[in-house]
Structures are given as structure tokens and as C-alpha cells.
Amino acid sequence: MSLTGTPFFVTAIVLAAAAVVLPLALWSKVRGPALVRGAVRLLMVGLAQATALLVVFVAVNNSNGLYGSWDDLLGTGDHVTAAVDLGRDGMAGLRFTDLPSSKQTFKPADDPNVGPDVRVTEFDGQISGVRGEVYVWLPPQYNDPAYRNTRFPVVELLPGYPGSSRAWFTSLRVQEQLKPLMQRGEVAPFILVSPRTTLLGGMDTGCANAPGRINADSWLSVDVRKAVMDSFRASRRPGGWAVAGYSAGGHCAAKLAVAHPDRYRAGVSLSGYNDPAAEKASIAAFDPELRRANNPLSILEAAPVAPRTALYVSGAKGDGFEAGLALRAVARPPATVDVVEVGGPHDTEGWSRQIPDVFRWLSRQVAADGAPTTSASAGH
């Protein structure tokens, strides 16, 4: 039974209800010595509390997209088939244009919580040695004949840690918010891509390449991008790609954008951080070299030439805002950093409210390849 499915949630509710009724019905009927009666009654009370906690956990998990499967929850999932040293650029000396085709077959997602228009595939990354699922949502203009020669801009969406690849679609409802805005022409028609980021059991990859352990950076910035470009009419230019995330995903988004201006034009960090050590489960947290190499602030400071990258960083004081100010302080043209102070807790509800403003900003930073062939409206 799926961890995130409705059947499991309903089963948890039924068990909790039964655990409450059970002591009411049997409390006075328990027989035996006083010690035995006390132990049985204590067990019934404990069962009621445990099932109540189970209902709360499932509700919170479904709402925030923390764990997408039992393997993710138990820390038994391993999505790494190889982790060779790919070099500083994460390409093993290869050029992106020389990579063989990575066209994938995307099928409708079987999870009703993600919505009817979301597609998914699972594949082996040819560079990273990572195997994982990737969810894709196409904008309403994608099948409009007026856009038949357009390669659409793309935004990769990264969850926090722990976090499910479905979280942006299930918890933040990004596609539900953006579809009417795209139809009215208020934001650009982006392809939305949400790849798996939980790749090692019980550990946050920090979107890092760590030879011998994981090549998470190359999975996201090379393999996923290649598969999307080969499978859809997606932009093939860095100017047509952006990456956005919240919490640990925000850290990753900022890091990927400043580390790879040849792959992304913009990055969005919602309540993110700069130092990987802010997440104690990160594989980069306590390795000085990895920690420095995956800190977007260190990358900007050390860059001999400022990257052509635009960052949007939002957060509350003590929760991402200061990280944005630090990035803005060291950014040199053509790099830009827009910092927005927000209030509220560190949760998906707050990040969801920011989606319209974030994508209006992205619409000014990222562009499609080609233009509509007619003056047809974006509402088609």
C-alpha cells in the first residue's frame, strides 16, 4: 500500500477510530491479576495514542510532501548505480552536445494528488549514475499550433529535505496556480520539471557531486536537462532554463544557478541557506572541500568572472533572508540578486503563496527559443 495514497490514509483513520473504541468496549472486561489487567489497559491506551500519531503523520506527510515512498521514509532507498569522479564540470570531459539521445517515454502520473496533466518517467542518468523519477507538466500553450516552432522555457523544481519529487505538484499546487496565469499571459508558459532529489537513504545529497558516493549535481544539471530537451520542445539554451527550490531545495537552486551559468539563467531560493552545514544530514556538511564547493556564497566570491546569473532569494529573518543579503553583497555584474523579506513559518503554505510573484520574476529572466507563429493569444 502506497505511503501517500488515500487508501493508507483512510486505513490509518479506521485504525485510530478502532483503537479508541476498543478500550471503551473492553476496559471493564479485562480479566486476570491486577498486573495483567493494568498491562493490557496500558497497551490499549498506547495503541490509541500510536494510531492517532499515525494519522497526524500521514496528514502532515501528504500535506508537505516529505516522504514519497516507504523506502524514503525508512531510509532504505538507494538510487545510485555508480558515482565515478566526473571532474569539476560534472561532465567527465564530455560536451553536452555530444551526449547520445536520452529521449524518454513520459506517462500520466498514477497519483491522483498530482493532477491530471502531470506526466512521469523513471530512467538511468547516463552521466551521473543516478536512477530516479522525473515529473513534468506542460503549459497550456504547448499543443497550440501557434507555438509549434517554440521551444519552451523550463523551470526545474526542487523540494526540501526530506522531500518528494511530487511535492511541488501536490503540496504547493504549482500547476493549478500557474495555468490560469499562463492562459491570461501574466506569466510565461514554462515547462515544469520536478526530479527526484532524495537519492541516498537517510542523507541529503545537497545537490553535490561526491565521487564514490553520489553525483547529484550531474543528475540534476545534466541528465535531467538532457532527458527533458530530448523528450519535449524544451529550450536548449541556458537562457531558457531556471531552477527553483524551497528550504534545502532553495540552497540547491542557488548553488546550481551560480555554479552552472552555462546551464541555467536564473535560480530561486525560498527560505534556503548558503552553507551546506545548515542541513546536518547533508553529505557536504562536514567535508571542508565539499562544503566550500557547494556553498553558493563561496562560489560567487571565488569566481574569477562573475556568472551571468539572476537569483531571487526570499525568506524571513533567521530563515533565508540573511542568506540572500550575503549573496547580494558579493554579487558582481552581470550577476544579480533580488532579495525579498517575507513573514510566516517555514512551510509549504508560505512557499505556495509566493509562486505567482516568483514566476512573474522568472518570466522576466528566462525566455523561450523561438516565438509563436501567429498572433494567437496565450489563452489558446
Side-chain angles (χ1 to χ4, degrees), residues 295-309:
N295 184 330
L297 183 63
S298 299
I299 295 172
L300 277 180
E301 288 178 319
V305 178
R308 187 187 173 193
T309 300

Side-chain angles (χ1 to χ4, degrees), residues 79 81-82 86 102 104 122-132 215 218-219 222-224 226-227:
H79 296 264
T81 59
L86 298 175
S102 185
Q104 306 295 320
E122 184 170 338
F123 70 99
D124 291 298
Q126 55 184 315
I127 291 295
S128 65
V130 168
R131 178 174 181 80
N215 284 318
S218 295
W219 161 246
V222 179
D223 289 330
V224 171
K226 177 66 172 167

Side-chain angles (χ1 to χ4, degrees), residues 75 77-80 161 197-205 213-214 283:
D78 188 345
H79 296 264
V80 180
Y161 176 81
T197 57
T198 301
L199 304 173
L200 294 172
M203 301 185 70
D204 172 28
T205 67
R213 302 183 73 183
I214 184 70
I283 62 171

Side-chain angles (χ1 to χ4, degrees), residues 231-249:
S231 304
F232 300 100
R233 292 199 320 278
S235 173
R236 294 185 176 275
R237 303 177 300 106
W241 278 75
V243 57
Y246 59 83
S247 191

Side-chain angles (χ1 to χ4, degrees), residues 30 212 270 323:
V30 177
L270 308 179

